[in-house]
Amino acid sequence: MRAKHKTGFLLALVMMCILCFSVVPVWAEPQGTDGTELQVAQPEQLEIQLGAEWAGVEFQMKTDAGLYPGTIPVGQDGVLRLEIGGSKSYVLTCLNSAAKAPSPTQAPATTESQPEEKTEGSSAEEKDAMVAGIPVLHLCLFVGGMVLAVGGLITMHVVKRRREDEDGYEYEDDEDE
């Protein structure tokens, strides 16, 4: 009986190690660099279609990295074009420029379509889900390991108590005879 418990415990321990170590990604640092070099973000194009009445109106953009250099004018076709990237927040402010912004006489714009529903396992957000900066997969592995470790300790304690109780009964039987 004791050998069965040891075998079962070792088998569970080996399976836990296999499951934990098979998911760990391998990170390799590029040769010739120490990781402190400047990382350049690829710029993205942003186009905002404001309409021909906005042509020539200038905007100023503030990001979490600071103020965007210069002003950003709306083109003659009524489209505001600029490159963005590397920041998490962007704030556009209309400036008092030579061209005046049109007065808001139109009704506010409404959304044209309903937001899409998430499908299981297909969105990139689910793959990169984070809780307090820690990937959800790592949190699940950690919590699962903790549950197994605490469960193993409790099981070992219970088994030890049972053995002590069983051993005590055997000695009492031997003394009575």
PDB file of all heavy atoms in Angstrom, residues 145-173:
ATOM      1  N   GLY A 145      -0.236  25.056  -9.952  1.00  0.00           N
ATOM      2  CA  GLY A 145       0.886  24.487  -9.207  1.00  0.00           C
ATOM      3  C   GLY A 145       0.726  24.665  -7.708  1.00  0.00           C
ATOM      4  O   GLY A 145       1.044  23.759  -6.929  1.00  0.00           O
ATOM      5  N   MET A 146       0.242  25.826  -7.304  1.00  0.00           N
ATOM      6  CA  MET A 146       0.031  26.064  -5.875  1.00  0.00           C
ATOM      7  C   MET A 146      -1.048  25.133  -5.322  1.00  0.00           C
ATOM      8  O   MET A 146      -0.907  24.589  -4.225  1.00  0.00           O
ATOM      9  CB  MET A 146      -0.365  27.526  -5.625  1.00  0.00           C
ATOM     10  CG  MET A 146       0.766  28.513  -5.833  1.00  0.00           C
ATOM     11  SD  MET A 146       2.155  28.232  -4.722  1.00  0.00           S
ATOM     12  CE  MET A 146       1.447  28.704  -3.183  1.00  0.00           C
ATOM     13  N   VAL A 147      -2.123  24.943  -6.087  1.00  0.00           N
ATOM     14  CA  VAL A 147      -3.193  24.049  -5.642  1.00  0.00           C
ATOM     15  C   VAL A 147      -2.653  22.624  -5.506  1.00  0.00           C
ATOM     16  O   VAL A 147      -2.930  21.936  -4.509  1.00  0.00           O
ATOM     17  CB  VAL A 147      -4.392  24.108  -6.616  1.00  0.00           C
ATOM     18  CG1 VAL A 147      -5.366  22.988  -6.366  1.00  0.00           C
ATOM     19  CG2 VAL A 147      -5.096  25.453  -6.499  1.00  0.00           C
ATOM     20  N   LEU A 148      -1.875  22.185  -6.507  1.00  0.00           N
ATOM     21  CA  LEU A 148      -1.304  20.838  -6.423  1.00  0.00           C
ATOM     22  C   LEU A 148      -0.337  20.708  -5.257  1.00  0.00           C
ATOM     23  O   LEU A 148      -0.334  19.685  -4.555  1.00  0.00           O
ATOM     24  CB  LEU A 148      -0.599  20.486  -7.734  1.00  0.00           C
ATOM     25  CG  LEU A 148      -1.504  20.200  -8.925  1.00  0.00           C
ATOM     26  CD1 LEU A 148      -0.668  20.015 -10.178  1.00  0.00           C
ATOM     27  CD2 LEU A 148      -2.349  18.971  -8.671  1.00  0.00           C
ATOM     28  N   ALA A 149       0.491  21.731  -5.022  1.00  0.00           N
ATOM     29  CA  ALA A 149       1.454  21.676  -3.927  1.00  0.00           C
ATOM     30  C   ALA A 149       0.747  21.627  -2.571  1.00  0.00           C
ATOM     31  O   ALA A 149       1.084  20.795  -1.711  1.00  0.00           O
ATOM     32  CB  ALA A 149       2.389  22.879  -3.998  1.00  0.00           C
ATOM     33  N   VAL A 150      -0.232  22.489  -2.366  1.00  0.00           N
ATOM     34  CA  VAL A 150      -0.964  22.508  -1.095  1.00  0.00           C
ATOM     35  C   VAL A 150      -1.742  21.207  -0.923  1.00  0.00           C
ATOM     36  O   VAL A 150      -1.772  20.618   0.168  1.00  0.00           O
ATOM     37  CB  VAL A 150      -1.890  23.748  -1.014  1.00  0.00           C
ATOM     38  CG1 VAL A 150      -2.819  23.658   0.173  1.00  0.00           C
ATOM     39  CG2 VAL A 150      -1.060  25.014  -0.945  1.00  0.00           C
ATOM     40  N   GLY A 151      -2.355  20.736  -2.014  1.00  0.00           N
ATOM     41  CA  GLY A 151      -3.072  19.456  -1.940  1.00  0.00           C
ATOM     42  C   GLY A 151      -2.138  18.308  -1.606  1.00  0.00           C
ATOM     43  O   GLY A 151      -2.482  17.416  -0.820  1.00  0.00           O
ATOM     44  N   GLY A 152      -0.945  18.312  -2.186  1.00  0.00           N
ATOM     45  CA  GLY A 152       0.042  17.278  -1.873  1.00  0.00           C
ATOM     46  C   GLY A 152       0.466  17.327  -0.420  1.00  0.00           C
ATOM     47  O   GLY A 152       0.609  16.282   0.238  1.00  0.00           O
ATOM     48  N   LEU A 153       0.692  18.539   0.106  1.00  0.00           N
ATOM     49  CA  LEU A 153       1.081  18.666   1.518  1.00  0.00           C
ATOM     50  C   LEU A 153      -0.032  18.188   2.452  1.00  0.00           C
ATOM     51  O   LEU A 153       0.226  17.508   3.451  1.00  0.00           O
ATOM     52  CB  LEU A 153       1.446  20.111   1.833  1.00  0.00           C
ATOM     53  CG  LEU A 153       2.767  20.601   1.240  1.00  0.00           C
ATOM     54  CD1 LEU A 153       2.921  22.096   1.473  1.00  0.00           C
ATOM     55  CD2 LEU A 153       3.933  19.850   1.850  1.00  0.00           C
ATOM     56  N   ILE A 154      -1.262  18.525   2.131  1.00  0.00           N
ATOM     57  CA  ILE A 154      -2.388  18.083   2.959  1.00  0.00           C
ATOM     58  C   ILE A 154      -2.511  16.565   2.905  1.00  0.00           C
ATOM     59  O   ILE A 154      -2.708  15.903   3.931  1.00  0.00           O
ATOM     60  CB  ILE A 154      -3.693  18.770   2.514  1.00  0.00           C
ATOM     61  CG1 ILE A 154      -3.631  20.261   2.853  1.00  0.00           C
ATOM     62  CG2 ILE A 154      -4.905  18.123   3.153  1.00  0.00           C
ATOM     63  CD1 ILE A 154      -4.765  21.076   2.275  1.00  0.00           C
ATOM     64  N   THR A 155      -2.370  16.002   1.703  1.00  0.00           N
ATOM     65  CA  THR A 155      -2.448  14.542   1.552  1.00  0.00           C
ATOM     66  C   THR A 155      -1.340  13.859   2.343  1.00  0.00           C
ATOM     67  O   THR A 155      -1.586  12.854   3.023  1.00  0.00           O
ATOM     68  CB  THR A 155      -2.340  14.167   0.060  1.00  0.00           C
ATOM     69  OG1 THR A 155      -3.370  14.842  -0.655  1.00  0.00           O
ATOM     70  CG2 THR A 155      -2.453  12.672  -0.139  1.00  0.00           C
ATOM     71  N   MET A 156      -0.125  14.402   2.262  1.00  0.00           N
ATOM     72  CA  MET A 156       0.987  13.805   3.020  1.00  0.00           C
ATOM     73  C   MET A 156       0.726  13.863   4.521  1.00  0.00           C
ATOM     74  O   MET A 156       1.006  12.908   5.249  1.00  0.00           O
ATOM     75  CB  MET A 156       2.293  14.528   2.677  1.00  0.00           C
ATOM     76  CG  MET A 156       2.777  14.224   1.276  1.00  0.00           C
ATOM     77  SD  MET A 156       4.139  15.247   0.662  1.00  0.00           S
ATOM     78  CE  MET A 156       5.208  15.448   2.022  1.00  0.00           C
ATOM     79  N   HIS A 157       0.151  14.985   4.989  1.00  0.00           N
ATOM     80  CA  HIS A 157      -0.143  15.120   6.415  1.00  0.00           C
ATOM     81  C   HIS A 157      -1.210  14.104   6.845  1.00  0.00           C
ATOM     82  O   HIS A 157      -1.072  13.460   7.893  1.00  0.00           O
ATOM     83  CB  HIS A 157      -0.616  16.547   6.701  1.00  0.00           C
ATOM     84  CG  HIS A 157      -0.940  16.800   8.134  1.00  0.00           C
ATOM     85  ND1 HIS A 157       0.030  16.890   9.103  1.00  0.00           N
ATOM     86  CD2 HIS A 157      -2.133  16.967   8.771  1.00  0.00           C
ATOM     87  CE1 HIS A 157      -0.546  17.103  10.269  1.00  0.00           C
ATOM     88  NE2 HIS A 157      -1.863  17.156  10.094  1.00  0.00           N
ATOM     89  N   VAL A 158      -2.266  13.952   6.042  1.00  0.00           N
ATOM     90  CA  VAL A 158      -3.338  13.009   6.375  1.00  0.00           C
ATOM     91  C   VAL A 158      -2.813  11.579   6.374  1.00  0.00           C
ATOM     92  O   VAL A 158      -3.112  10.786   7.272  1.00  0.00           O
ATOM     93  CB  VAL A 158      -4.524  13.180   5.390  1.00  0.00           C
ATOM     94  CG1 VAL A 158      -5.518  12.054   5.521  1.00  0.00           C
ATOM     95  CG2 VAL A 158      -5.200  14.521   5.615  1.00  0.00           C
ATOM     96  N   VAL A 159      -2.014  11.223   5.377  1.00  0.00           N
ATOM     97  CA  VAL A 159      -1.458   9.866   5.301  1.00  0.00           C
ATOM     98  C   VAL A 159      -0.558   9.595   6.498  1.00  0.00           C
ATOM     99  O   VAL A 159      -0.591   8.511   7.090  1.00  0.00           O
ATOM    100  CB  VAL A 159      -0.703   9.680   3.965  1.00  0.00           C
ATOM    101  CG1 VAL A 159       0.120   8.420   3.969  1.00  0.00           C
ATOM    102  CG2 VAL A 159      -1.688   9.676   2.809  1.00  0.00           C
ATOM    103  N   LYS A 160       0.234  10.583   6.907  1.00  0.00           N
ATOM    104  CA  LYS A 160       1.125  10.414   8.064  1.00  0.00           C
ATOM    105  C   LYS A 160       0.302  10.181   9.335  1.00  0.00           C
ATOM    106  O   LYS A 160       0.624   9.303  10.139  1.00  0.00           O
ATOM    107  CB  LYS A 160       1.998  11.652   8.221  1.00  0.00           C
ATOM    108  CG  LYS A 160       2.963  11.570   9.373  1.00  0.00           C
ATOM    109  CD  LYS A 160       3.784  12.830   9.479  1.00  0.00           C
ATOM    110  CE  LYS A 160       4.670  12.786  10.706  1.00  0.00           C
ATOM    111  NZ  LYS A 160       5.384  14.043  10.907  1.00  0.00           N
ATOM    112  N   ARG A 161      -0.781  10.943   9.503  1.00  0.00           N
ATOM    113  CA  ARG A 161      -1.641  10.768  10.680  1.00  0.00           C
ATOM    114  C   ARG A 161      -2.273   9.379  10.701  1.00  0.00           C
ATOM    115  O   ARG A 161      -2.335   8.743  11.755  1.00  0.00           O
ATOM    116  CB  ARG A 161      -2.756  11.814  10.688  1.00  0.00           C
ATOM    117  CG  ARG A 161      -2.304  13.187  11.017  1.00  0.00           C
ATOM    118  CD  ARG A 161      -2.124  13.302  12.523  1.00  0.00           C
ATOM    119  NE  ARG A 161      -1.668  14.623  12.855  1.00  0.00           N
ATOM    120  CZ  ARG A 161      -2.170  15.341  13.820  1.00  0.00           C
ATOM    121  NH1 ARG A 161      -3.154  14.875  14.537  1.00  0.00           N
ATOM    122  NH2 ARG A 161      -1.679  16.522  14.066  1.00  0.00           N
ATOM    123  N   ARG A 162      -2.730   8.915   9.542  1.00  0.00           N
ATOM    124  CA  ARG A 162      -3.358   7.588   9.478  1.00  0.00           C
ATOM    125  C   ARG A 162      -2.352   6.499   9.833  1.00  0.00           C
ATOM    126  O   ARG A 162      -2.684   5.540  10.526  1.00  0.00           O
ATOM    127  CB  ARG A 162      -3.944   7.328   8.088  1.00  0.00           C
ATOM    128  CG  ARG A 162      -5.215   8.089   7.843  1.00  0.00           C
ATOM    129  CD  ARG A 162      -5.820   7.716   6.517  1.00  0.00           C
ATOM    130  NE  ARG A 162      -7.028   8.480   6.246  1.00  0.00           N
ATOM    131  CZ  ARG A 162      -7.659   8.488   5.100  1.00  0.00           C
ATOM    132  NH1 ARG A 162      -7.203   7.780   4.093  1.00  0.00           N
ATOM    133  NH2 ARG A 162      -8.747   9.197   4.950  1.00  0.00           N
ATOM    134  N   ARG A 163      -1.130   6.637   9.330  1.00  0.00           N
ATOM    135  CA  ARG A 163      -0.102   5.641   9.648  1.00  0.00           C
ATOM    136  C   ARG A 163       0.188   5.622  11.136  1.00  0.00           C
ATOM    137  O   ARG A 163       0.361   4.558  11.735  1.00  0.00           O
ATOM    138  CB  ARG A 163       1.181   5.947   8.873  1.00  0.00           C
ATOM    139  CG  ARG A 163       1.095   5.542   7.431  1.00  0.00           C
ATOM    140  CD  ARG A 163       2.432   5.683   6.762  1.00  0.00           C
ATOM    141  NE  ARG A 163       2.292   5.515   5.333  1.00  0.00           N
ATOM    142  CZ  ARG A 163       3.011   6.118   4.430  1.00  0.00           C
ATOM    143  NH1 ARG A 163       3.953   6.966   4.805  1.00  0.00           N
ATOM    144  NH2 ARG A 163       2.812   5.890   3.156  1.00  0.00           N
ATOM    145  N   GLU A 164       0.291   6.825  11.709  1.00  0.00           N
ATOM    146  CA  GLU A 164       0.546   6.889  13.150  1.00  0.00           C
ATOM    147  C   GLU A 164      -0.591   6.244  13.928  1.00  0.00           C
ATOM    148  O   GLU A 164      -0.363   5.524  14.896  1.00  0.00           O
ATOM    149  CB  GLU A 164       0.734   8.335  13.585  1.00  0.00           C
ATOM    150  CG  GLU A 164       2.035   8.946  13.128  1.00  0.00           C
ATOM    151  CD  GLU A 164       2.132  10.420  13.472  1.00  0.00           C
ATOM    152  OE1 GLU A 164       1.143  10.998  13.985  1.00  0.00           O
ATOM    153  OE2 GLU A 164       3.199  11.004  13.209  1.00  0.00           O
ATOM    154  N   ASP A 165      -1.834   6.504  13.505  1.00  0.00           N
ATOM    155  CA  ASP A 165      -2.984   5.902  14.186  1.00  0.00           C
ATOM    156  C   ASP A 165      -3.001   4.395  14.004  1.00  0.00           C
ATOM    157  O   ASP A 165      -3.254   3.649  14.952  1.00  0.00           O
ATOM    158  CB  ASP A 165      -4.292   6.500  13.655  1.00  0.00           C
ATOM    159  CG  ASP A 165      -4.467   7.953  14.085  1.00  0.00           C
ATOM    160  OD1 ASP A 165      -3.743   8.390  15.009  1.00  0.00           O
ATOM    161  OD2 ASP A 165      -5.318   8.650  13.476  1.00  0.00           O
ATOM    162  N   GLU A 166      -2.712   3.919  12.775  1.00  0.00           N
ATOM    163  CA  GLU A 166      -2.697   2.478  12.518  1.00  0.00           C
ATOM    164  C   GLU A 166      -1.569   1.801  13.278  1.00  0.00           C
ATOM    165  O   GLU A 166      -1.732   0.713  13.827  1.00  0.00           O
ATOM    166  CB  GLU A 166      -2.551   2.210  11.011  1.00  0.00           C
ATOM    167  CG  GLU A 166      -3.789   2.561  10.224  1.00  0.00           C
ATOM    168  CD  GLU A 166      -3.566   2.424   8.727  1.00  0.00           C
ATOM    169  OE1 GLU A 166      -2.462   2.032   8.310  1.00  0.00           O
ATOM    170  OE2 GLU A 166      -4.516   2.723   7.983  1.00  0.00           O
ATOM    171  N   ASP A 167      -0.398   2.436  13.310  1.00  0.00           N
ATOM    172  CA  ASP A 167       0.728   1.864  14.049  1.00  0.00           C
ATOM    173  C   ASP A 167       0.418   1.788  15.538  1.00  0.00           C
ATOM    174  O   ASP A 167       0.776   0.825  16.212  1.00  0.00           O
ATOM    175  CB  ASP A 167       1.993   2.694  13.828  1.00  0.00           C
ATOM    176  CG  ASP A 167       2.530   2.579  12.414  1.00  0.00           C
ATOM    177  OD1 ASP A 167       2.123   1.622  11.715  1.00  0.00           O
ATOM    178  OD2 ASP A 167       3.331   3.445  12.010  1.00  0.00           O
ATOM    179  N   GLY A 168      -0.286   2.762  16.074  1.00  0.00           N
ATOM    180  CA  GLY A 168      -0.644   2.763  17.490  1.00  0.00           C
ATOM    181  C   GLY A 168      -1.580   1.619  17.822  1.00  0.00           C
ATOM    182  O   GLY A 168      -1.463   0.983  18.868  1.00  0.00           O
ATOM    183  N   TYR A 169      -2.533   1.298  16.924  1.00  0.00           N
ATOM    184  CA  TYR A 169      -3.453   0.199  17.165  1.00  0.00           C
ATOM    185  C   TYR A 169      -2.734  -1.139  17.095  1.00  0.00           C
ATOM    186  O   TYR A 169      -3.026  -2.051  17.856  1.00  0.00           O
ATOM    187  CB  TYR A 169      -4.601   0.205  16.150  1.00  0.00           C
ATOM    188  CG  TYR A 169      -5.550   1.369  16.335  1.00  0.00           C
ATOM    189  CD1 TYR A 169      -5.889   2.184  15.267  1.00  0.00           C
ATOM    190  CD2 TYR A 169      -6.108   1.653  17.577  1.00  0.00           C
ATOM    191  CE1 TYR A 169      -6.750   3.253  15.419  1.00  0.00           C
ATOM    192  CE2 TYR A 169      -6.965   2.713  17.737  1.00  0.00           C
ATOM    193  CZ  TYR A 169      -7.283   3.513  16.667  1.00  0.00           C
ATOM    194  OH  TYR A 169      -8.140   4.560  16.828  1.00  0.00           O
ATOM    195  N   GLU A 170      -1.777  -1.278  16.219  1.00  0.00           N
ATOM    196  CA  GLU A 170      -1.049  -2.544  16.104  1.00  0.00           C
ATOM    197  C   GLU A 170      -0.243  -2.825  17.361  1.00  0.00           C
ATOM    198  O   GLU A 170      -0.179  -3.947  17.830  1.00  0.00           O
ATOM    199  CB  GLU A 170      -0.131  -2.515  14.878  1.00  0.00           C
ATOM    200  CG  GLU A 170      -0.887  -2.578  13.572  1.00  0.00           C
ATOM    201  CD  GLU A 170       0.041  -2.482  12.366  1.00  0.00           C
ATOM    202  OE1 GLU A 170       1.269  -2.551  12.539  1.00  0.00           O
ATOM    203  OE2 GLU A 170      -0.492  -2.323  11.262  1.00  0.00           O
ATOM    204  N   TYR A 171       0.397  -1.788  17.914  1.00  0.00           N
ATOM    205  CA  TYR A 171       1.189  -1.992  19.123  1.00  0.00           C
ATOM    206  C   TYR A 171       0.294  -2.353  20.303  1.00  0.00           C
ATOM    207  O   TYR A 171       0.660  -3.165  21.138  1.00  0.00           O
ATOM    208  CB  TYR A 171       2.005  -0.741  19.455  1.00  0.00           C
ATOM    209  CG  TYR A 171       3.132  -0.496  18.481  1.00  0.00           C
ATOM    210  CD1 TYR A 171       3.273   0.727  17.844  1.00  0.00           C
ATOM    211  CD2 TYR A 171       4.055  -1.489  18.197  1.00  0.00           C
ATOM    212  CE1 TYR A 171       4.293   0.963  16.952  1.00  0.00           C
ATOM    213  CE2 TYR A 171       5.080  -1.260  17.299  1.00  0.00           C
ATOM    214  CZ  TYR A 171       5.204  -0.045  16.679  1.00  0.00           C
ATOM    215  OH  TYR A 171       6.208   0.184  15.804  1.00  0.00           O
ATOM    216  N   GLU A 172      -0.890  -1.764  20.376  1.00  0.00           N
ATOM    217  CA  GLU A 172      -1.800  -2.085  21.479  1.00  0.00           C
ATOM    218  C   GLU A 172      -2.253  -3.542  21.385  1.00  0.00           C
ATOM    219  O   GLU A 172      -2.378  -4.218  22.388  1.00  0.00           O
ATOM    220  CB  GLU A 172      -3.013  -1.154  21.443  1.00  0.00           C
ATOM    221  CG  GLU A 172      -2.672   0.257  21.824  1.00  0.00           C
ATOM    222  CD  GLU A 172      -3.866   1.187  21.679  1.00  0.00           C
ATOM    223  OE1 GLU A 172      -4.972   0.701  21.373  1.00  0.00           O
ATOM    224  OE2 GLU A 172      -3.691   2.409  21.853  1.00  0.00           O
ATOM    225  N   ASP A 173      -2.484  -4.049  20.163  1.00  0.00           N
ATOM    226  CA  ASP A 173      -2.903  -5.434  19.981  1.00  0.00           C
ATOM    227  C   ASP A 173      -1.779  -6.383  20.408  1.00  0.00           C
ATOM    228  O   ASP A 173      -2.034  -7.422  21.012  1.00  0.00           O
ATOM    229  CB  ASP A 173      -3.293  -5.721  18.529  1.00  0.00           C
ATOM    230  CG  ASP A 173      -4.553  -4.985  18.136  1.00  0.00           C
ATOM    231  OD1 ASP A 173      -5.308  -4.596  19.061  1.00  0.00           O
ATOM    232  OD2 ASP A 173      -4.773  -4.784  16.920  1.00  0.00           O
TER     233      ASP A 173
END
